[in-house]
Amino acid sequence: MKLSFKSLNGRSIVGSLGSIIGTVDDIVIDEKTGRIISLNIEPSEQSPVSPSSENYTFVPYRTVTAIRDVVVIDESKINAKA
């Protein structure tokens, strides 16, 4: 499945355990392979993911389990890193 950044930007992110994580703000791409490395997100106020000092944080793309109307991430992998 191919998605453009434009269609991914601003999409809501929810956790597999039901948490509202935030929204996609940007992506980080490996220049050599063209693969997405992580999503730069703007966390929601109730997000279990702690924001950095700029109120943004990176979520590894390997935690993404589905992309439909929202991006679903495996919340247990994020919480294990925190």
Side-chain angles (χ1 to χ4, degrees), residues 3 6 12-14 17 24 36 45-46 56 65-66 75:
L3 289 172
K6 189 174 182 179
S12 296
I13 303 172
V14 296
L17 302 176
V24 176
I36 298 173
E45 288 185 20
Q46 64 272 30
Y56 290 92
T65 59
E75 208 169 329

Side-chain angles (χ1 to χ4, degrees), residues 3 5 11 22 26 51-52 60 69 73 78-79:
L3 289 172
F5 169 70
R11 199 171 288 204
D26 205 351
S52 67
D69 293 336
I73 63 170
I78 295 297
N79 292 333

Side-chain angles (χ1 to χ4, degrees), residues 3-58:
L3 289 172
S4 68
F5 169 70
K6 189 174 182 179
S7 69
L8 197 58
N9 189 30
R11 199 171 288 204
S12 296
I13 303 172
V14 296
S16 56
L17 302 176
S19 297
I20 299 172
I21 307 295
T23 57
V24 176
D25 183 65
D26 205 351
I27 58 175
V28 178
I29 298 175
D30 183 318
E31 290 181 11
K32 293 178 183 174
T33 65
R35 293 181 185 255
I36 298 173
I37 297 171
S38 62
L39 301 176
N40 185 359
I41 69 165
E42 183 175 352
S44 66
E45 288 185 20
Q46 64 272 30
S47 178
V49 178
S50 300
S52 67
S53 59
E54 294 86 28
N55 200 33
Y56 290 92
T57 192
F58 293 96

